[in-house]
Amino acid sequence: MVFDVRSTGGSPPRRDATRPADSRPPRSGGPGSEPDRPVEITPEVVEAEFEEVSAEAAVTLRLDGKVALVTGAGSPDGIGYATARRLRDLGARVAIVSTTRRIHERASELGVTGFVADLTDEAEVGALADAITDQLGDVEVLVNNAGLASRASPEVLRPVAQLSFDEWKAEIDRNLSTAFLCSRAFIGGMSERGWGRIVNLAATAGPVNALPTEAAYAAAKAGVVGLTRALAMELVADGVNVNCVAPGTIYTAASTVTEIKQGLGTPIGRPGTPDEVAAAVAFLCSPAASYITGQMLVVDGGNSVREAQFR
Protein backbone atom coordinates (compact mmCIF):
# COMPACT_ATOMS: atom_id res chain seq x y z
CA MET A 1 0.00 0.00 0.00
CA VAL A 2 1.32 3.43 -0.92
CA PHE A 3 0.28 6.92 0.14
CA ASP A 4 1.38 10.20 -1.43
CA VAL A 5 1.53 12.89 1.23
CA ARG A 6 1.32 15.51 -1.51
CA SER A 7 -2.10 14.33 -2.68
CA THR A 8 -4.08 15.43 0.37
CA GLY A 9 -5.98 18.12 -1.47
CA GLY A 10 -3.90 20.90 0.01
CA SER A 11 -5.10 20.31 3.58
CA PRO A 12 -2.36 21.11 6.10
CA PRO A 13 -0.94 18.32 8.25
CA ARG A 14 -2.18 18.11 11.82
CA ARG A 15 1.43 18.24 12.96
CA ASP A 16 3.09 21.65 12.61
CA ALA A 17 6.24 20.65 10.76
CA THR A 18 7.98 23.91 11.58
CA ARG A 19 7.88 23.16 15.31
CA PRO A 20 9.64 20.37 17.15
CA ALA A 21 7.40 17.48 18.17
CA ASP A 22 6.08 17.59 21.70
CA SER A 23 8.20 15.74 24.20
CA ARG A 24 8.41 15.14 27.90
CA PRO A 25 8.66 18.10 30.26
CA PRO A 26 12.20 19.14 31.21
CA ARG A 27 13.84 16.55 33.42
CA SER A 28 14.78 17.39 36.96
CA GLY A 29 18.06 19.20 37.16
CA GLY A 30 17.37 21.30 34.07
CA PRO A 31 17.21 25.08 33.90
CA GLY A 32 14.71 26.51 36.36
CA SER A 33 14.15 23.27 38.21
CA GLU A 34 14.84 22.52 41.85
CA PRO A 35 18.04 20.56 42.38
CA ASP A 36 17.59 16.88 43.17
CA ARG A 37 18.65 15.57 46.53
CA PRO A 38 21.79 13.44 46.21
CA VAL A 39 21.10 9.72 46.03
CA GLU A 40 23.29 7.46 48.13
CA ILE A 41 24.75 4.75 45.88
CA THR A 42 24.55 1.45 47.70
CA PRO A 43 24.74 -2.15 46.45
CA GLU A 44 21.00 -2.40 46.96
CA VAL A 45 20.34 0.65 44.76
CA VAL A 46 22.58 -0.69 42.00
CA GLU A 47 20.99 -4.14 42.16
CA ALA A 48 17.49 -2.65 41.97
CA GLU A 49 18.50 -0.58 38.95
CA PHE A 50 19.86 -3.65 37.14
CA GLU A 51 16.72 -5.63 37.91
CA GLU A 52 14.57 -2.85 36.45
CA VAL A 53 16.69 -2.65 33.29
CA SER A 54 16.70 -6.43 32.86
CA ALA A 55 12.94 -6.57 33.18
CA GLU A 56 12.30 -3.80 30.67
CA ALA A 57 15.02 -4.40 28.05
CA ALA A 58 15.26 -8.01 27.03
CA VAL A 59 18.36 -8.73 24.94
CA THR A 60 16.71 -9.67 21.67
CA LEU A 61 16.99 -8.75 18.03
CA ARG A 62 13.25 -9.08 17.49
CA LEU A 63 11.11 -6.01 16.75
CA ASP A 64 7.72 -7.70 16.85
CA GLY A 65 4.88 -5.20 16.57
CA LYS A 66 7.08 -2.12 16.50
CA VAL A 67 6.51 0.46 13.74
CA ALA A 68 9.63 1.25 11.74
CA LEU A 69 10.18 3.91 9.09
CA VAL A 70 13.00 3.58 6.55
CA THR A 71 13.63 6.59 4.32
CA GLY A 72 15.24 6.48 0.90
CA ALA A 73 14.08 2.96 0.03
CA GLY A 74 13.14 3.44 -3.62
CA SER A 75 15.95 1.38 -5.18
CA PRO A 76 15.47 -2.41 -5.20
CA ASP A 77 19.19 -3.01 -4.63
CA GLY A 78 19.91 -0.17 -2.22
CA ILE A 79 20.66 -0.02 1.50
CA GLY A 80 17.21 1.35 2.37
CA TYR A 81 15.42 -1.54 0.65
CA ALA A 82 17.69 -4.14 2.27
CA THR A 83 17.15 -2.53 5.67
CA ALA A 84 13.36 -2.47 5.27
CA ARG A 85 13.38 -6.15 4.33
CA ARG A 86 15.50 -7.08 7.35
CA LEU A 87 13.35 -5.06 9.80
CA ARG A 88 10.26 -6.69 8.32
CA ASP A 89 11.80 -10.12 8.86
CA LEU A 90 12.47 -9.17 12.50
CA GLY A 91 8.75 -8.59 13.01
CA ALA A 92 8.46 -4.82 12.58
CA ARG A 93 5.56 -3.15 10.80
CA VAL A 94 7.54 -1.26 8.19
CA ALA A 95 6.88 1.97 6.30
CA ILE A 96 9.16 3.06 3.47
CA VAL A 97 9.35 6.41 1.73
CA SER A 98 10.99 7.91 -1.34
CA THR A 99 10.50 10.97 -3.51
CA THR A 100 9.06 9.06 -6.48
CA ARG A 101 6.15 6.74 -7.08
CA ARG A 102 8.44 3.81 -7.78
CA ILE A 103 8.00 3.22 -4.04
CA HIS A 104 4.73 1.53 -5.14
CA GLU A 105 6.75 -1.37 -6.53
CA ARG A 106 9.09 -1.62 -3.55
CA ALA A 107 6.20 -1.64 -1.06
CA SER A 108 4.41 -4.36 -3.03
CA GLU A 109 7.56 -6.50 -3.24
CA LEU A 110 8.20 -6.27 0.50
CA GLY A 111 4.59 -6.39 1.67
CA VAL A 112 5.02 -3.12 3.57
CA THR A 113 3.44 0.34 3.42
CA GLY A 114 4.92 2.95 1.09
CA PHE A 115 4.75 6.73 1.12
CA VAL A 116 5.83 9.39 -1.36
CA ALA A 117 7.29 12.56 0.15
CA ASP A 118 10.04 15.13 -0.32
CA LEU A 119 11.94 14.89 2.96
CA THR A 120 13.68 18.22 2.44
CA ASP A 121 10.27 19.92 2.75
CA GLU A 122 9.07 20.62 6.32
CA ALA A 123 5.38 20.47 5.43
CA GLU A 124 5.70 17.14 3.62
CA VAL A 125 7.60 15.61 6.53
CA GLY A 126 4.81 16.71 8.86
CA ALA A 127 2.18 15.23 6.56
CA LEU A 128 4.21 12.00 6.32
CA ALA A 129 4.34 11.72 10.12
CA ASP A 130 0.56 12.12 10.32
CA ALA A 131 -0.06 9.60 7.54
CA ILE A 132 2.16 6.92 9.09
CA THR A 133 0.54 7.40 12.49
CA ASP A 134 -2.92 7.03 10.93
CA GLN A 135 -2.02 3.94 8.91
CA LEU A 136 0.39 2.04 11.16
CA GLY A 137 0.66 3.73 14.55
CA ASP A 138 3.43 5.58 16.36
CA VAL A 139 6.90 5.24 14.85
CA GLU A 140 9.30 3.60 17.31
CA VAL A 141 12.21 2.88 14.94
CA LEU A 142 13.52 5.45 12.45
CA VAL A 143 16.23 4.77 9.87
CA ASN A 144 17.34 7.98 8.16
CA ASN A 145 18.79 6.49 4.98
CA ALA A 146 17.66 9.12 2.44
CA GLY A 147 20.49 11.05 0.88
CA LEU A 148 21.77 9.52 -2.33
CA ALA A 149 21.59 11.50 -5.54
CA SER A 150 18.95 10.77 -8.16
CA ARG A 151 18.31 11.52 -11.78
CA ALA A 152 16.14 14.45 -10.74
CA SER A 153 18.80 15.71 -8.34
CA PRO A 154 22.23 14.44 -9.44
CA GLU A 155 25.32 14.70 -7.27
CA VAL A 156 27.55 17.62 -8.15
CA LEU A 157 31.25 16.78 -8.31
CA ARG A 158 33.09 20.08 -8.29
CA PRO A 159 35.94 21.69 -6.35
CA VAL A 160 34.86 24.13 -3.65
CA ALA A 161 36.16 27.08 -5.66
CA GLN A 162 33.73 26.18 -8.46
CA LEU A 163 30.78 25.07 -6.32
CA SER A 164 27.74 27.32 -6.33
CA PHE A 165 25.89 28.08 -3.10
CA ASP A 166 22.72 26.44 -4.46
CA GLU A 167 24.66 23.25 -5.23
CA TRP A 168 26.12 23.29 -1.73
CA LYS A 169 22.70 23.75 -0.13
CA ALA A 170 21.15 20.98 -2.23
CA GLU A 171 23.76 18.48 -1.03
CA ILE A 172 23.40 19.54 2.61
CA ASP A 173 19.60 19.35 2.41
CA ARG A 174 19.59 15.94 0.77
CA ASN A 175 22.05 14.33 3.17
CA LEU A 176 21.66 16.21 6.46
CA SER A 177 18.44 18.24 6.58
CA THR A 178 16.38 15.13 5.78
CA ALA A 179 17.76 13.38 8.87
CA PHE A 180 17.10 16.48 11.00
CA LEU A 181 13.51 16.97 9.82
CA CYS A 182 12.53 13.30 10.13
CA SER A 183 14.15 12.93 13.55
CA ARG A 184 12.46 16.07 14.84
CA ALA A 185 9.07 14.79 13.66
CA PHE A 186 9.24 11.57 15.69
CA ILE A 187 11.47 12.07 18.75
CA GLY A 188 8.73 13.66 20.84
CA GLY A 189 6.57 10.56 20.62
CA MET A 190 9.50 8.24 21.27
CA SER A 191 10.48 10.21 24.37
CA GLU A 192 6.92 10.25 25.67
CA ARG A 193 6.65 6.46 25.30
CA GLY A 194 10.09 5.93 26.82
CA TRP A 195 11.58 3.82 24.00
CA GLY A 196 12.92 4.43 20.54
CA ARG A 197 15.70 3.77 18.09
CA ILE A 198 17.12 6.17 15.49
CA VAL A 199 19.85 5.05 13.09
CA ASN A 200 21.29 7.60 10.68
CA LEU A 201 23.25 6.68 7.56
CA ALA A 202 26.50 8.60 7.46
CA ALA A 203 29.47 7.53 5.29
CA THR A 204 33.20 7.13 5.64
CA ALA A 205 33.51 10.19 3.37
CA GLY A 206 33.44 13.11 5.78
CA PRO A 207 33.74 11.54 9.25
CA VAL A 208 36.73 9.33 8.31
CA ASN A 209 38.20 10.48 5.00
CA ALA A 210 37.38 12.63 1.98
CA LEU A 211 37.77 12.84 -1.79
CA PRO A 212 38.38 15.90 -3.97
CA THR A 213 35.23 17.46 -5.51
CA GLU A 214 32.96 16.02 -2.78
CA ALA A 215 33.25 18.70 -0.10
CA ALA A 216 29.50 19.26 0.27
CA TYR A 217 28.76 15.54 0.57
CA ALA A 218 31.61 15.05 3.06
CA ALA A 219 30.46 18.03 5.13
CA ALA A 220 26.87 16.75 5.18
CA LYS A 221 27.86 13.25 6.28
CA ALA A 222 30.16 14.62 8.97
CA GLY A 223 27.16 16.68 10.07
CA VAL A 224 25.08 13.51 10.31
CA VAL A 225 27.54 12.19 12.89
CA GLY A 226 27.33 15.43 14.86
CA LEU A 227 23.53 15.35 14.76
CA THR A 228 23.59 11.72 15.89
CA ARG A 229 25.73 12.44 18.92
CA ALA A 230 23.82 15.53 19.96
CA LEU A 231 20.48 13.74 19.69
CA ALA A 232 21.85 10.79 21.62
CA MET A 233 22.71 13.03 24.55
CA GLU A 234 19.39 14.87 24.40
CA LEU A 235 17.34 11.66 24.42
CA VAL A 236 19.41 9.23 26.47
CA ALA A 237 17.36 9.69 29.66
CA ASP A 238 14.13 9.06 27.73
CA GLY A 239 15.04 5.56 26.57
CA VAL A 240 15.79 6.61 22.99
CA ASN A 241 19.07 5.42 21.48
CA VAL A 242 20.58 7.26 18.50
CA ASN A 243 23.46 5.86 16.44
CA CYS A 244 24.81 6.03 12.91
CA VAL A 245 26.32 3.62 10.41
CA ALA A 246 29.08 4.78 8.06
CA PRO A 247 29.38 2.58 4.96
CA GLY A 248 32.45 2.59 2.77
CA THR A 249 32.28 1.33 -0.82
CA ILE A 250 29.04 -0.62 -1.25
CA TYR A 251 28.17 -2.39 -4.49
CA THR A 252 24.81 -1.40 -5.99
CA ALA A 253 23.46 -0.94 -9.50
CA ALA A 254 24.51 2.71 -9.25
CA SER A 255 28.15 1.88 -8.50
CA THR A 256 30.66 3.24 -10.99
CA VAL A 257 33.67 1.31 -12.31
CA THR A 258 35.90 3.54 -10.19
CA GLU A 259 33.91 2.74 -7.04
CA ILE A 260 34.02 -0.99 -7.74
CA LYS A 261 37.80 -0.82 -8.17
CA GLN A 262 38.02 1.03 -4.87
CA GLY A 263 36.07 -1.79 -3.25
CA LEU A 264 38.40 -4.41 -4.71
CA GLY A 265 41.28 -2.52 -3.10
CA THR A 266 39.96 -2.84 0.46
CA PRO A 267 41.66 -5.21 2.92
CA ILE A 268 38.76 -7.64 2.52
CA GLY A 269 39.22 -7.42 -1.25
CA ARG A 270 35.72 -6.54 -2.41
CA PRO A 271 33.00 -3.91 -2.04
CA GLY A 272 30.40 -4.38 0.64
CA THR A 273 26.77 -5.31 -0.01
CA PRO A 274 23.57 -3.50 1.00
CA ASP A 275 22.62 -6.53 3.11
CA GLU A 276 25.83 -6.24 5.11
CA VAL A 277 25.06 -2.60 5.91
CA ALA A 278 21.44 -3.47 6.67
CA ALA A 279 22.57 -6.08 9.20
CA ALA A 280 24.51 -3.43 11.12
CA VAL A 281 21.57 -1.01 10.97
CA ALA A 282 19.09 -3.65 12.13
CA PHE A 283 21.21 -4.55 15.15
CA LEU A 284 21.33 -0.92 16.26
CA CYS A 285 17.54 -0.77 15.86
CA SER A 286 17.01 -3.76 18.13
CA PRO A 287 16.43 -4.02 21.88
CA ALA A 288 19.78 -5.85 22.03
CA ALA A 289 21.55 -2.53 21.36
CA SER A 290 20.14 -0.98 24.53
CA TYR A 291 23.57 0.06 25.88
CA ILE A 292 24.83 1.63 22.65
CA THR A 293 24.10 5.25 21.85
CA GLY A 294 25.88 8.16 20.18
CA GLN A 295 28.16 5.83 18.23
CA MET A 296 29.32 5.55 14.61
CA LEU A 297 29.73 2.01 13.28
CA VAL A 298 31.99 1.89 10.21
CA VAL A 299 31.19 -0.79 7.62
CA ASP A 300 34.01 -0.56 5.08
CA GLY A 301 35.90 -3.84 4.96
CA GLY A 302 38.68 -2.44 7.13
CA ASN A 303 39.60 0.23 4.61
CA SER A 304 39.68 3.08 7.13
CA VAL A 305 41.98 1.12 9.45
CA ARG A 306 44.77 0.36 7.00
CA GLU A 307 47.55 2.94 7.07
CA ALA A 308 48.97 2.12 3.63
CA GLN A 309 48.28 -0.29 0.79
CA PHE A 310 51.05 -2.79 0.27
CA ARG A 311 51.54 -4.66 -3.00
Side-chain angles (χ1 to χ4, degrees), residues 38 64 97 99 110 158 169 179 186-187 189 210 230 248 263 269 299 301:
D64 296 299
V97 59
T99 57
L110 292 172
R158 214 187 313 281
K169 289 191 294 183
F186 295 106
I187 56 177
V299 183

Side-chain angles (χ1 to χ4, degrees), residues 10-294:
S11 58
R14 295 190 302 274
R15 189 189 307 267
D16 182 354
T18 65
R19 296 174 57 245
D22 293 334
S23 59
R24 288 180 174 181
R27 295 185 292 272
S28 59
S33 64
E34 293 295 328
D36 291 334
R37 292 183 179 179
V39 177
E40 182 181 358
I41 304 301
T42 65
E44 291 75 19
V45 170
V46 174
E47 183 177 355
E49 182 71 19
F50 273 110
E51 288 178 354
E52 181 179 353
V53 170
S54 299
E56 293 182 356
V59 179
T60 176
L61 295 174
R62 298 294 302 178
L63 291 165
D64 296 299
K66 295 193 179 299
V67 177
L69 169 62
V70 181
T71 70
S75 172
D77 65 344
I79 293 171
Y81 185 86
T83 299
R85 180 173 58 217
R86 188 169 287 266
L87 296 182
R88 178 206 64 188
D89 292 346
L90 290 174
R93 301 174 62 201
V94 179
I96 57 177
V97 59
S98 77
T99 57
T100 67
R101 297 190 67 78
R102 67 175 176 169
I103 204 72
H104 280 284
E105 299 173 20
R106 306 293 85 80
S108 177
E109 291 161 2
L110 292 172
V112 301
T113 306
F115 297 85
V116 179
D118 177 358
L119 301 182
T120 66
D121 185 293
E122 284 185 298
E124 290 197 24
V125 172
L128 172 68
D130 287 339
I132 294 175
T133 301
D134 288 343
Q135 297 297 323
L136 298 177
D138 295 318
V139 170
E140 297 160 284
V141 175
L142 171 63
V143 179
N144 283 311
N145 173 70
L148 290 179
S150 65
R151 291 180 181 178
S153 182
E155 184 179 4
V156 177
L157 301 177
R158 214 187 313 281
V160 170
Q162 302 171 18
L163 195 65
S164 75
F165 189 40
D166 285 341
E167 290 168 340
W168 167 271
K169 289 191 294 183
E171 203 69 24
I172 297 297
D173 281 347
R174 177 165 54 212
N175 290 283
L176 179 55
S177 298
T178 52
F180 161 70
L181 290 172
C182 288
S183 296
R184 191 182 66 173
F186 295 106
I187 56 177
M190 291 181 185
S191 295
E192 187 65 29
R193 293 185 297 275
W195 195 94
R197 295 286 187 270
I198 300 174
V199 179
N200 298 318
L201 267 292
T204 53
V208 178
N209 50 41
L211 291 170
T213 75
E214 293 189 359
Y217 178 82
K221 289 303 186 182
V224 168
V225 179
L227 173 65
T228 297
R229 290 171 176 163
L231 270 178
M233 293 300 95
E234 290 181 6
L235 302 174
V236 65
D238 295 331
V240 181
N241 293 33
V242 189
N243 294 286
C244 63
V245 172
T249 302
I250 306 300
Y251 179 74
T252 69
S255 298
T256 65
V257 173
T258 299
E259 289 170 339
I260 294 172
K261 288 181 178 179
Q262 289 171 349
L264 295 174
T266 64
I268 284 185
R270 62 171 176 81
T273 69
D275 280 329
E276 289 172 319
V277 180
V281 173
F283 168 69
L284 292 173
C285 289
S286 72
S290 57
Y291 201 57
I292 303 173
T293 196

